[in-house]
Amino acid sequence: MEIFLDTADVNEIKTYVDFIDGVTTNPSILAKNENADKRSLIKEICKTVSGPVSVEVVSEKYEEMLAEGKKISKISSNVCVKLPCTFDGLRVCEKLSYEGISTNLTLCFSPTQALIAAKCGATYVSPFVGRMDDIGHNGMSLIEEIIDIFDGYNYETKVLVASVRHLQHLIQAAKLGAGAITVPPKILKQCFDHPMTESGLKIFAEDWKKLKSH
Ligand code: G3P
């Protein structure tokens, strides 16, 4: 499973760069770097990590979105153009895929949106599990359903689990065989932390001091 970092914080990306396969951003995430020049920030992120960096369009109409998507794709060779799972977004996906530009179809909340994204040649489709949970639905059931559908065909589209709120989302995504997941830094950090590892290390260090060294 590919693991992406869901952030535009370059220091966080540098901290975890050895463990991640790429980065995902969205307009809200990028806006956390107030006053930053958008293009320079995206370029810096693309230089910091070698894998795909998802950068989202903000246009909503086909022609504008297509032009914006192409412009974004030229920022760096590892940019992945993030498009919404709308009628226009999916049309742009089909067009960009045909031109060999990688895409991440975002704001996916249904199996049918994911199916159309796959048929349009999307590189990734991003169902938002946390936001589904937030409104009383089961985000991971959506992942299960999409993977089940994709399993019957030879689509190259990877299911990228997004809007991750806790480690159980990550564990369940891995159990279901999701192709990718994007996690905020605070959740990735938890993958390395366990109180038993900490206390075990402390005991080893204390016991080691009891030995004599020559
Ligand atoms: O980048 C898309 C997604 O991961 C956003 O998550 O926490 O805003 O629902 P969230």
Side-chain angles (χ1 to χ4, degrees):
M1 182 169 69
E2 288 173 274
I3 298 181
F4 296 116
L5 204 58
D6 207 17
T7 187
D9 182 326
V10 176
N11 289 327
E12 296 276 29
I13 297 167
K14 284 181 182 161
T15 302
Y16 295 106
V17 75
D18 294 338
F19 305 101
I20 58 172
D21 296 286
V23 165
T24 54
T25 68
N26 62 33
S28 309
I29 288 173
L30 285 165
K32 286 182 187 162
N33 291 267
E34 267 181 52
N35 301 321
D37 174 69
K38 291 172 197 156
R39 205 178 164 86
S40 318
L41 177 60
I42 294 164
K43 274 192 162 193
E44 198 184 350
I45 296 171
C46 290
K47 263 197 279 172
T48 309
V49 66
S50 58
V53 175
S54 290
V55 180
E56 194 161 338
V57 298
V58 287
S59 312
E60 291 174 20
K61 293 277 168 259
Y62 178 77
E63 294 295 346
E64 291 85 355
M65 207 191 289
L66 181 60
E68 191 187 355
K70 284 187 180 180
K71 197 173 166 194
I72 288 173
S73 76
K74 291 189 180 98
I75 296 177
S76 172
S77 58
N78 57 335
V79 157
C80 179
V81 180
K82 214 170 178 190
L83 302 160
C85 275
T86 57
F87 180 76
D88 289 287
L90 288 156
R91 280 180 70 209
V92 173
C93 170
E94 200 274 331
K95 182 87 176 144
L96 294 184
S97 305
Y98 186 74
E99 294 183 19
I101 295 170
S102 74
T103 53
N104 177 357
L105 272 287
T106 190
L107 290 167
C108 173
F109 291 94
S110 79
T112 47
Q113 287 175 316
L115 177 63
I116 305 286
K119 285 180 67 67
C120 290
T123 316
Y124 299 98
V125 63
S126 294
F128 276 31
V129 295
R131 293 193 197 184
M132 288 289 277
D133 292 351
D134 290 347
I135 57 161
H137 290 253
N138 185 338
M140 291 316 297
S141 298
L142 172 63
I143 301 299
E144 200 172 353
E145 217 172 347
I146 296 170
I147 290 176
D148 199 27
I149 292 168
F150 283 15
D151 275 353
Y153 301 94
N154 290 318
Y155 298 130
E156 288 183 4
T157 306
K158 288 184 182 169
V159 178
L160 194 168
V161 179
S163 182
V164 165
R165 301 271 194 266
H166 46 70
L167 275 187
Q168 275 305 318
H169 279 151
L170 198 160
I171 294 163
Q172 288 165 32
K175 279 184 170 176
L176 289 170
I181 191 166
T182 186
V183 288
K186 68 170 187 204
I187 291 174
L188 187 59
K189 184 182 178 298
Q190 291 171 11
C191 291
F192 304 88
D193 295 339
H194 199 285
M196 294 297 285
T197 307
E198 292 306 315
S199 60
L201 266 180
K202 213 171 151 207
I203 293 164
F204 287 155
E206 277 160 13
D207 286 344
W208 187 244
K209 281 186 220 151
K210 294 174 191 163
L211 292 171
K212 285 184 185 156
S213 54
H214 298 284

